[in-house]
Amino acid sequence: MKNNKFLTMAFESSCDETAIAILADGREVLSNVISSQIDIFKNYGGVVPEIAARHHLENINEVVDEALKKADVTMEDIDLIAVTEGPGLVGALLIGVATAKAVAFACDKPIIGVHHIMGHVAANYIEFPQLEPPFTALIASGGHTNIAEVKNYTEVEIIGGTRDDAIGEAYDKVARVLGLGYPGGPKIDKIAKEGNPDAIHFKRVFLEKDSMDFSFSGLKTAVLNHLNIAKQKGEEINRADVAASFQQAVMDVVTEKAVQAAKEMGHGKLVLAGGVASNSALRAILKKKCDEEQIKLYVPSPILCTDNGAMIGCAGYYKYKEGQRSGLDMDAHANMPLSKAK
Ligand code: KG4
Ligand code: ZN
């Protein structure tokens, strides 16, 4: 049922989720279907790009049908097609972009390309109907770690990013060496609850004074060294203690910088986005620090934190409302600066 609302159909396929959503008036989710390949990649210990692309291709038509069915609408009712054009795995992105373009062409609908990070930020507009920019955002996922100023619905200025591994990537790598499996983030989150965060002191990497950048590769190596040394000495490894100490080292830096950025920007709002935003320690520590500083913290529910179509549809809707359009010559981009998002 359309009910005279503006309907956006959105495609997200940048990594290992084939996700399609239908939104009414940009912020109301009518359907948000996510076909995850996590079970397939558990056996590989990580995402294999070629295999991900093949599975997107096999699944995407079925996911489109399910999204329409769940929303109780037909293609004729759709007003706009939105699609993640980058950054991500190029083969995976291409399946979403090619399908979205084919649907837009066949059904004669306008199409808009969306930057994946703009999507993660927009997840918060869905979760919090009253939320409006400007605000400070911490975007933490498997591919990105950024502190940004969200100036309006279509303009985001990145003020800090990772110089090596993304935060989720560091979690996944440390989980792998601890033998916890893939994806590692939720596994470390869980096991860390049973460990002592002060058991091992891993160095906190703050970089230069006032820098909003991050570096996690040294921490990952420090964990690896700790495990190797313990092994050589024949000492037993307490995985919960290692996980908790690693997590504390990450959180001390990330939460300090995010709150500092929010204070400096002065919008009084800090918004979390990306898969790592589901991390319970991150949520708890930030909540405490934000309360102390009288900053309002926004955290989407886990289903909107990890990759999904709804967030892409919301970001695409605001671009379209601002008069932006993409063409059928749109391409997928493995790397895509946010400045290209417009
Ligand atoms: O946003 P997302 O679904 O994909 C990217 O855009 O990268 O994020 C996936 C990442 C993975 O690295 C996963 O380990 C991490 O988010 N993640 C977590 C948690 N849940 C997912 N990391 C820490 N704690 C969690 N609870
Ligand atoms: Zn993502």
Side-chain angles (χ1 to χ4, degrees):
M1 286 291 287
K2 187 170 157 80
N3 285 338
N4 284 330
K5 289 189 171 171
F6 186 94
L7 299 194
T8 305
M9 174 183 243
F11 292 73
E12 154 61 37
S13 68
S14 65
C15 191
D16 58 347
E17 267 94 28
T18 319
I20 294 168
I22 296 172
L23 300 183
D25 293 340
R27 279 169 108 131
E28 183 193 341
V29 180
L30 300 186
S31 63
N32 191 18
V33 181
I34 303 166
S35 169
S36 175
Q37 302 173 15
I38 279 183
D39 283 342
I40 296 159
F41 293 120
K42 266 182 190 155
N43 303 325
Y44 295 88
V47 178
V48 184
E50 266 306 305
I51 298 176
R54 204 174 318 144
H55 281 285
H56 283 308
L57 189 57
E58 277 168 16
N59 292 341
I60 201 156
N61 288 344
E62 214 175 293
V63 181
V64 169
D65 289 344
E66 205 182 325
L68 286 167
K69 200 165 157 219
K70 282 209 167 128
D72 193 19
V73 296
T74 65
M75 270 321 296
E76 270 163 39
D77 299 325
I78 302 293
D79 299 293
L80 172 68
I81 306 287
V83 59
T84 307
E85 56 178 323
L89 304 171
V90 77
L93 284 164
L94 269 172
I95 306 300
V97 169
T99 310
K101 287 199 294 189
V103 171
F105 178 70
C107 303
D108 196 20
K109 308 286 179 191
I111 186 166
I112 189 98
V114 174
H115 192 286
H116 189 74
I117 289 190
M118 297 296 280
H120 274 303
V121 170
N124 283 277
Y125 299 135
I126 297 169
E127 184 84 40
F128 306 102
Q130 312 304 328
L131 176 65
E132 282 179 23
F135 50 76
T136 308
L138 170 66
I139 302 129
S141 74
H144 315 276
T145 308
N146 293 108
I147 294 180
E149 182 169 23
V150 178
K151 298 185 177 229
N152 55 47
Y153 284 108
T154 56
E155 211 185 327
V156 172
E157 188 188 342
I158 301 285
I159 64 149
T162 180
R163 296 191 185 164
D164 38 59
D165 291 347
I167 181 167
E169 194 181 352
Y171 265 85
D172 292 340
K173 286 178 178 168
V174 167
R176 194 179 311 156
V177 296
L178 285 175
L180 296 172
Y182 173 85
K187 304 244 161 79
I188 291 195
D189 192 358
K190 191 161 172 237
I191 193 176
K193 291 194 173 96
E194 294 147 29
N196 173 8
D198 300 319
I200 309 141
H201 184 80
F202 293 120
K203 195 168 166 243
R204 276 67 171 151
V205 181
F206 282 94
L207 301 168
E208 307 81 30
K209 190 177 172 294
D210 296 334
S211 170
M212 287 293 161
D213 282 349
F214 301 99
S215 169
F216 297 111
S217 71
L219 178 58
K220 174 193 70 192
T221 310
V223 174
L224 199 59
N225 287 344
H226 173 83
L227 296 176
N228 285 339
I229 290 167
K231 212 166 161 193
Q232 276 165 12
K233 288 185 183 163
E235 287 171 6
E236 205 174 309
I237 289 156
N238 182 328
R239 296 196 300 179
D241 280 352
V242 177
S245 301
F246 158 78
Q247 177 156 278
Q248 194 60 48
V250 172
M251 292 311 161
D252 280 353
V253 177
V254 173
T255 58
E256 165 98 21
K257 292 200 181 208
V259 172
Q260 185 58 32
K263 272 166 70 179
E264 281 169 21
M265 285 177 206
H267 302 305
K269 295 181 232 176
L270 176 63
V271 163
L272 275 188
V276 184
S278 347
N279 184 273
S280 55
L282 180 63
R283 288 170 177 239
I285 299 168
L286 272 182
K287 177 82 182 75
K288 192 164 169 283
K289 288 192 176 175
C290 283
D291 282 352
E292 280 163 15
E293 300 292 342
Q294 282 160 6
I295 294 166
K296 190 157 166 38
L297 178 69
Y298 295 84
V299 191
S301 43
I303 193 70
L304 287 170
C305 286
T306 43
D307 292 347
N308 65 87
M311 66 185 201
I312 301 301
C314 180
Y317 169 82
Y318 282 109
K319 281 182 85 174
Y320 182 82
K321 285 281 150 186
E322 206 195 65
Q324 298 185 46
R325 305 285 184 272
S326 300
L328 290 175
D329 57 349
M330 189 203 312
D331 213 346
H333 305 279
N335 299 307
M336 189 179 171
L338 255 179
S339 52
K340 261 202 88 184
K342 276 216 136 200

